[in-house]
Amino acid sequence: MSNLHSLAGSLFGVSAGILGLESYSGFLFYLVFSTITTLLFYVFQVAPESLAEKRPILDTGRYFLSALDFWTSGIFGGLSGFVLTWTLFYGLVRA
């Protein structure tokens, strides 16, 4: 899953740079779309397999140590790639 968030973070950075987002709006953009990506991964991957194994629907133990780790790893895992590509594409578009 960390590869998914690294790639998604970079793509979000490209989008934020092209859109010309600055400061808090750029980080809010990343936070919202990273949360959506994690939610989609949960809905399409984790929840169906948990239900198939007769586990509680909110159980993420098959993939992660805790639920907090599941929901926050995406945000922090792709942040550096986001900032790198955000500043690169912002500079390319604004140059």
Side-chain angles (χ1 to χ4, degrees), residues 31 76 92:
L31 182 66
F76 297 118
L92 289 173

Side-chain angles (χ1 to χ4, degrees), residues 52-71:
E53 293 179 357
K54 307 244 189 283
R55 293 179 179 218
I57 193 162
L58 296 176
D59 183 23
T60 59
R62 182 170 183 199
Y63 296 99
F64 292 89
L65 296 175
S66 69
L68 181 65
D69 185 36
F70 175 78
W71 293 105

Side-chain angles (χ1 to χ4, degrees), residues 12 16 21-35 75 78-80 82-84 86-87:
F12 299 153
L21 299 178
E22 297 178 350
S23 188
Y24 293 118
S25 62
F27 284 109
L28 183 62
F29 178 85
Y30 173 72
L31 182 66
V32 167
F33 281 98
S34 181
T35 303
I75 294 171
L79 186 60
S80 60
F82 168 76
V83 172
L84 179 70
W86 179 25
T87 55

